[in-house]
């Protein structure tokens, strides 16, 4: 039996970016929200309603999709 070990090289790692987030203060709660989606000065957790704190998170970079135009007032089947 041959066992192959998979090692992640620098070329295989996805590109990541650091973003500002609000995360729940409760250690058991895993909720977090991107800063640009928060409208309150001091938000509360959408799941457990506890206070949130500012933090940073590394997320994979995604390709931005083009300028999509939506049809208004027309049904799509």
């Amino acid at each position: 039996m041959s066992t192959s070990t998979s090692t992640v090289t620098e070329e295989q790692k996805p590109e990541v970016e650091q973003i500002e987030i609000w995360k729940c203060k409760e250690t058991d709660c895993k909720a977090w929200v991107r800063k640009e989606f928060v409208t309150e000065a001091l938000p509360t957790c959408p799941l457990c309603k506890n206070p949130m704190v500012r933090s940073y998170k590394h997320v994979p970079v995604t390709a931005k999709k083009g300028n999509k135009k939506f049809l208004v007032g027309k049904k799509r089947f």
Side-chain angles (χ1 to χ4, degrees), residues 4-77:
S4 63
T5 58
S6 61
T7 57
V8 178
T9 63
E10 289 296 320
E11 299 158 0
Q12 294 173 333
K13 287 185 181 178
E15 188 179 345
V16 295
E17 66 178 327
Q18 183 176 348
I19 61 167
E20 240 183 300
I21 64 166
W22 285 93
K23 68 177 185 176
C24 186
K25 270 187 174 180
E26 187 65 37
T27 55
D28 295 337
C29 184
K30 302 292 182 193
W32 63 274
V33 181
R34 286 178 181 255
K35 178 187 164 196
E36 59 263 22
F37 296 127
V38 174
T39 56
E40 302 94 24
L42 294 171
T44 57
C45 177
L47 301 178
C48 66
K49 306 301 181 210
N50 282 315
M52 297 182 88
V53 293
R54 290 177 67 182
S55 185
Y56 293 93
K57 187 171 191 70
H58 290 91
V59 296
V61 175
T62 58
K64 297 198 184 233
K65 300 202 172 155
N67 229 357
K68 290 190 175 185
K69 294 182 181 179
F70 295 97
L71 299 174
V72 178
K74 295 190 177 188
K75 291 183 181 178
R76 293 186 187 190
F77 300 134

